[in-house]
Amino acid sequence: MRRLSRLVIAAATALPLLGAALAYPDPGRVTGDVVVHDPTMIRTSSGYVLYSTHGYLEARTSTDRIDFTRAGSAFRTPPSWWRTYSSGNDPWAPDISQQGGRYLMYYAVSSFGSNNSAIGLATSSTGLPGTWSDQGVVHATTTSDDHNAIDPNLLVDSSGRWWLSFGSYWTGIRMIRLDPSTGKRHSSDRTLHHLATRPDAPYAVEAPDIVRHGSHYYLFASYDRCCAGTSSTYKIKVGRSASPTGPYVDRSGRSMLSGGGTTVLETHGRYIGPGGQSVMSDVDGDLLVYHYYDGADNGTPKLGINLIGWDSAGWPYVY
C-alpha cells in the first residue's frame, strides 16, 4: 500500500510535465455573451474588460471573470485611415495592456487573405469601451512585403524596452522595437526581427503573444487553419528564449524559425481549433484567453479561459 501511494504521488507530480500528451482541459466556465474571436482581456478598477475582433473592436465586461456582458465597442466611429486597409472598417485582434498609468490597445486593420495591412494604436485613461483615442498607424505592410502587419502584441522586457510582435503567414512572426514615449516604432532601431515560421507553405503561424516568466521569454502562437468553424485546425504552441528577440526554441530544442513549437492546447472533443490567444496575469495566476469553435453549436466561435501552470523545467501547461 505504501508503494502504491508513492506511485500515485509520483504520477500526480509528473502530470504537469505530461499533461499536454495525456489530455487537454476543457475551457473554464464562462457565461453570458461569449461569442468572440481573438480575445484580449484586462482587469481594471471596475472589473474585467475583454475586447475582440469585429464591430470596431467589440467589448464585454465582467465582475467575476465568468459572466460576460456585451458593452459596446472600443471605438464609436472608425478612424478614416482604416479604409486604406479594410473596405468594411473591420479591425482585428486587439491587444490591451496598462503602461505608465494609461491603457494601450494595439490592433490590426486588414482584409482576409491580404497583407495590405496596418497595426494601429489607441489609448485610454480608463480602458473602458467608447473612451479610446486613436493614435494612428504603428506599422504597415503592402502586397510587396514578405510579412503581414496583423495580430500585434506588446512586450515590455526586463530592461524596460518596448517590443511589438506581430504577423501571419508571409514568413511568420516578426518583431519591431517601439519608443515608450510614443508607443510607435523606435526612430533609431529599425531592425525587423524574425521570431517564428515553418518550412511548409503557407507558413501558417500567427497571433503571437510574448510573456516573461522567470529568466525566459515565452512566445505563444497559433498554428494552422483559423476561421473555418468545425473545419478549423488551429492550435496553440509555445517556445522560449533568453532574449525578447530570440532565438525561440521548443521543449525539444527545435527552433521556432524551423517549424518548432511545443503544443499547449489543440482540438479535443467539442472544442475545435483553439487559438487567437492572449496571456493575462491575474490574482490567481496567469491566464490563457482564446477562442475555439464549438462543435456542439455549429462551429460558433466562443471564449475560452484556462489557468496556466509552469512545470519544474519552466514550461507552461494549461489546466
Side-chain angles (χ1 to χ4, degrees):
M1 183 63 69
R2 286 196 298 272
R3 181 173 180 272
L4 177 60
S5 297
R6 288 196 298 271
L7 288 172
V8 170
I9 292 170
T13 303
L15 277 177
L17 291 170
L18 301 176
L22 294 174
Y24 295 102
D26 294 346
R29 178 172 173 262
V30 293
T31 62
D33 191 330
V34 294
V35 177
V36 304
H37 218 271
D38 308 318
T40 182
M41 186 168 66
I42 198 166
R43 186 173 185 169
T44 71
S45 59
S46 57
Y48 296 92
V49 185
L50 181 145
Y51 290 95
S52 61
T53 288
H54 302 315
Y56 302 167
L57 301 177
E58 294 176 352
R60 290 163 180 81
T61 57
S62 175
T63 59
D64 58 7
R65 214 175 70 196
I66 295 175
D67 186 44
F68 287 84
T69 301
R70 186 79 161 84
S73 297
F75 294 95
R76 292 190 174 95
T77 57
S80 59
W81 65 263
W82 287 6
R83 281 284 181 183
T84 303
Y85 303 96
S86 171
S87 60
N89 279 332
D90 190 23
W92 294 354
D95 172 69
I96 188 172
S97 64
Q98 187 179 25
Q99 309 292 340
R102 65 175 180 167
Y103 293 88
L104 305 181
M105 188 150 59
Y106 291 90
Y107 62 93
V109 183
S110 186
S111 58
F112 200 80
S114 170
N115 64 332
N116 178 45
S117 311
I119 293 167
L121 168 64
T123 58
S124 169
S125 60
T126 65
L128 297 177
T131 68
W132 294 90
S133 298
D134 189 66
Q135 305 299 321
V137 175
V138 175
H139 183 65
T141 51
T142 70
T143 54
S144 63
D145 285 307
D146 68 349
H147 64 286
N148 198 9
I150 66 169
D151 296 355
N153 170 245
L154 175 66
L155 166 70
V156 178
D157 72 17
S158 59
S159 299
R161 295 174 299 179
W162 287 29
W163 306 94
L164 190 74
S165 59
F166 57 89
S168 162
Y169 294 76
W170 287 280
T171 71
I173 306 302
R174 301 290 182 133
M175 173 183 273
I176 57 175
R177 188 176 172 188
L178 303 181
D179 183 342
S181 67
T182 64
K184 301 289 189 68
R185 193 163 187 183
H186 202 284
S187 60
S188 62
D189 186 347
R190 310 296 289 183
T191 305
L192 181 65
H193 299 275
H194 201 183
L195 306 186
T197 189
R198 53 194 294 176
D200 52 327
Y203 316 110
V205 185
E206 59 188 0
D209 196 293
I210 301 177
V211 297
R212 182 162 57 94
H213 179 81
S215 59
H216 288 93
Y217 296 90
Y218 291 80
L219 168 56
F220 293 79
S222 297
Y223 284 62
D224 294 323
R225 187 184 183 195
C226 170
C227 315
T230 55
S231 297
S232 299
T233 57
Y234 240 15
K235 59 180 66 71
I236 301 169
K237 296 187 177 185
V238 68
R240 73 182 183 187
S241 172
S243 166
T245 58
Y248 286 87
V249 300
D250 64 17
R251 184 188 287 270
S252 70
R254 187 181 182 190
S255 171
M256 293 185 80
L257 284 170
S258 301
T262 297
T263 302
V264 174
L265 190 63
E266 64 181 347
T267 294
H268 56 287
R270 64 183 283 188
Y271 307 103
I272 298 169
Q277 72 290 325
S278 59
V279 178
M280 172 191 166
S281 180
D282 206 355
V283 292
D284 54 345
D286 296 322
L287 304 174
L288 187 69
V289 182
Y290 58 95
H291 71 254
Y292 67 91
Y293 301 93
D294 190 346
D297 190 16
N298 299 312
T300 300
K302 293 184 180 179
L303 174 64
I305 301 177
N306 287 90
L307 282 160
I308 298 174
W310 301 87
D311 69 23
S312 58
W315 286 96
Y317 61 93
V318 295
Y319 64 98

